[in-house]
Amino acid sequence: MEPAPPPPPLALSTPGVAVIKARAVANGWVALAETLRRVENRTSPDRRLLVSTDGRNVSTVVAAPEGWSLIDVAVHPSGQLSLVLASDKALRLQRRTGAGALLGETAFTDAQAPGDPFVGDPRTAGDPQSLVPRGSRDAVRIAPLGEDLVIALRTGLNAVVAHRLTPAAGGTYARQWRTLVEPGVHIGSRGITSGTFDPFGSLDNPWKLQLDVDVQQRIAVAVNVDLTELAEGHALHFAEPAVALLGYGALATRLDAQGRRQGTTVVDTVQRSEIHAMRWAGERLLVAGRVLSERRADGHGWDGFVARLPQGGAGPASVQVIDVDRGDIVLDLAPMDDGRIQLAGATGYWQNPAGGSISEEAQPLLAVLPAGGGAAQRIPLAAGARHNQLRSVVAWQGRWLLGGLENGPGTHSADADPARLVADGYLRERAGTP
C-alpha cells in the first residue's frame, strides 16, 4: 500500500487582519494578527494572537481586554508562551500554554523607572510614573531566554530599560535583574498633513525598539536616533562622546545573560532612516529597515538597508543598501544555516518626496543576501491586490513560514471611503530558497 501523499503546503488566509509576526511552536505555530487603524488611533494597536496546534488550522484566538493592546509574544523551549499587553500607562504579562490556555497573569512593575536619568530639558520629559511613553503603546518587546523572559521597554520618561524575568508560581514572573539601556531623552514627532493610514508605522518609529536573544543567551536592544536627542543623551550619560556625532541611524546595545552591558554599536545610515528588524546571525548582529537614500521627485528615493555589526561590537556597523524596485523596505530578517540571510518586506512603492504619503501600490519582497556579501537576490512571489507587505519570515519544520498582508491601503486609500482601510493577511508555507 502506497503511503499517503503529504498535505499541501499551508496557505492560511486571515481576511480583514494582517499577519505581522509568526513563530514556530512544536508541531504548530503562533501568529500576531493586526486590524489596521486610522492615523489618529495608530498608537493603540489592535492585535490578537492566532494559535495553531496542528500547523494547519487556528485552534485558539487570544485577544486583549477592553482598554489594552496585545503587543508581542515570545515562545519558550517548552512550548509555553509569554505575552505582553499595554495600556496608555501600564504593562501586563501573561504566561500561556502552547495551545493558548492562560496559566497566569501579572502586572509588570518597575519601581526604579521614575528615577531613571533624563538628559536634556526636563520640561520635555514624559510621565515618570508611566511604563509606556506618550507616543505609542507599541514600545515594548519580549524574547525568550530559555524559560526565562527578557523584556525591553521604553518608559514614560523615554528611557529604555531591559529586565530578565523568571517564571514563578501561578504563571507570574520574578525579576532577576534590571539594566538601563538608554537614558531618557526628548523624542520629537512627525505627522502628515492629510491621509488616513500609516502603511509602515513610520510615525511611531522613533518610539519603538527592537529586541533579540540568541542561543548563547546574548541580548541585543536597538533603538532609532531619528527625531530624538538620543545620540547626545547616550554620549553624555555613558561617556561615549563619539556617539554624539551620529545624525541618523540606530544604536544597538549588547547585554550578557546577567544584564551586564557589553557595549553599544553605532549604525550610521548617513540619511534619514527607520529600523524595523534586528536578528542575531551567528556571531554577528543584523539591523534592518529603510533609508531615504535620495529625495527624488518621483518619490522613489527610499531603499531598504541591512547593517552588519562587527563581531564583538568593536567599530561601526557596515550598512548595505537594498535597492530592488523603486521604494524598498526590510521588515524582517531570517539568518540561514549556510550563512545567507533572508529579507522580508515590500518593494515597488513610492512616497511623497516632500511628505509622508505612501502609495497604495506595493509588492511583497522576499530576497536573499549571499553569505559572503553581494547584491540581494530577489525571490519571485505572487502579489495580491493593492498594497502588499511580507512582514515575517521564520523557520518552521525544515521549511519557512511567510506572514504578511495584501489588498492593503496606502496613506490616502480610505480618505473618502473608510471601508478601504482594510487588509487581508496570510500565513504561507514555503519549501525552501534558491
Side-chain angles (χ1 to χ4, degrees):
M1 186 175 181
E2 294 186 2
L10 174 67
L12 177 75
S13 296
T14 59
V17 293
V19 173
I20 64 169
K21 180 177 181 177
R23 291 292 183 266
V25 184
N27 294 322
W29 43 260
V30 295
L32 282 176
E34 180 170 287
T35 301
L36 306 187
R37 310 200 74 180
R38 293 177 60 89
V39 166
E40 58 267 29
N41 298 323
R42 72 188 186 280
T43 60
S44 302
D46 181 5
R47 295 173 185 161
R48 66 211 68 177
L49 184 70
L50 310 181
V51 181
S52 173
T53 56
D54 64 4
R56 314 301 301 178
N57 306 289
V58 175
S59 54
T60 303
V61 178
V62 178
E66 184 70 26
W68 291 80
S69 297
L70 172 58
I71 303 297
D72 200 12
V73 61
V75 179
H76 299 277
S78 65
Q80 289 188 353
L81 312 174
S82 291
L83 278 66
V84 62
L85 295 82
S87 67
D88 285 341
K89 294 183 179 294
L91 298 174
R92 287 184 189 174
L93 292 171
Q94 293 183 350
R95 190 80 168 197
R96 292 180 177 267
T97 69
L102 182 65
L103 295 171
E105 181 178 67
T106 185
F108 176 82
T109 60
D110 184 354
Q112 294 176 259
D116 282 331
F118 185 90
V119 181
D121 186 344
R123 293 173 297 179
T124 67
D127 180 357
Q129 303 301 320
S130 176
L131 292 178
V132 181
R134 66 174 177 81
S136 179
R137 293 181 179 181
D138 198 12
V140 56
R141 291 293 181 268
I142 55 177
L145 198 162
E147 294 305 308
D148 286 359
L149 182 70
V150 177
I151 177 171
L153 64 136
R154 192 182 294 277
T155 71
L157 281 176
N158 297 339
V160 177
V161 293
H163 303 250
R164 179 175 177 176
L165 309 175
T166 298
T172 60
Y173 296 86
R175 182 177 289 106
Q176 283 200 25
W177 49 254
R178 176 191 196 271
T179 298
L180 178 74
V181 178
E182 297 293 354
V185 295
H186 173 66
I187 298 179
S189 60
R190 178 178 286 122
I192 52 178
T193 57
S194 65
T196 310
F197 182 59
D198 183 14
F200 299 133
S202 301
L203 302 182
D204 294 348
N205 197 259
W207 305 91
K208 297 178 182 178
L209 54 86
Q210 299 294 327
L211 168 69
D212 197 28
V213 178
D214 74 353
V215 295
Q216 299 183 48
Q217 299 190 344
R218 294 175 296 192
I219 301 162
V221 181
V223 289
N224 210 336
V225 303
D226 187 34
L227 281 181
T228 77
E229 296 178 2
L230 179 58
E232 297 88 344
H234 178 104
L236 287 170
H237 183 75
F238 292 110
E240 297 177 3
V243 174
L245 302 176
L246 183 64
Y248 296 102
L251 297 177
T253 297
R254 302 172 313 285
L255 309 175
D256 67 14
Q258 287 71 48
R260 296 182 291 247
R261 296 179 64 94
Q262 303 298 295
T264 297
T265 300
V266 168
V267 179
D268 189 356
T269 58
V270 182
Q271 308 292 340
R272 175 184 160 191
S273 59
E274 302 166 359
I275 59 170
H276 290 272
M278 180 180 67
R279 289 283 188 95
W280 284 100
E283 295 299 313
R284 294 181 181 272
L285 191 64
L286 308 173
V287 176
R290 68 173 187 154
V291 58
L292 185 56
S293 299
E294 181 183 4
R295 196 178 296 275
R296 295 175 48 178
D298 61 8
H300 296 165
W302 283 95
D303 293 316
F305 79 86
V306 174
R308 295 174 174 86
L309 279 61
Q311 184 174 336
S318 171
V319 178
Q320 179 178 354
V321 172
I322 309 298
D323 183 4
V324 176
D325 177 19
R326 295 168 288 174
D328 305 285
I329 184 171
V330 178
L331 297 169
D332 198 12
L333 297 160
M336 302 170 68
D337 292 340
D338 60 6
R340 294 182 297 166
I341 304 164
Q342 288 194 80
L343 312 179
T347 188
Y349 67 88
W350 57 262
Q351 180 167 335
N352 182 350
S357 296
I358 294 168
S359 62
E360 186 175 85
E361 178 188 1
Q363 305 300 306
L365 174 62
L366 181 64
V368 173
L369 289 178
Q377 301 166 0
R378 187 177 182 183
I379 300 171
L381 289 179
R386 301 203 303 162
H387 191 97
N388 290 251
Q389 295 180 19
L390 184 58
R391 297 292 301 269
S392 182
V393 55
V394 63
W396 183 63
Q397 299 182 358
R399 298 178 294 279
W400 299 93
L401 281 181
L402 307 181
L405 67 92
E406 57 193 20
N407 193 29
T411 303
H412 295 283
S413 300
D415 289 1
D417 181 3
R420 294 180 64 80
L421 186 60
V422 68
D424 294 325
Y426 58 83
L427 195 61
R428 297 169 183 160
E429 178 184 350
R430 183 177 176 86
T433 56

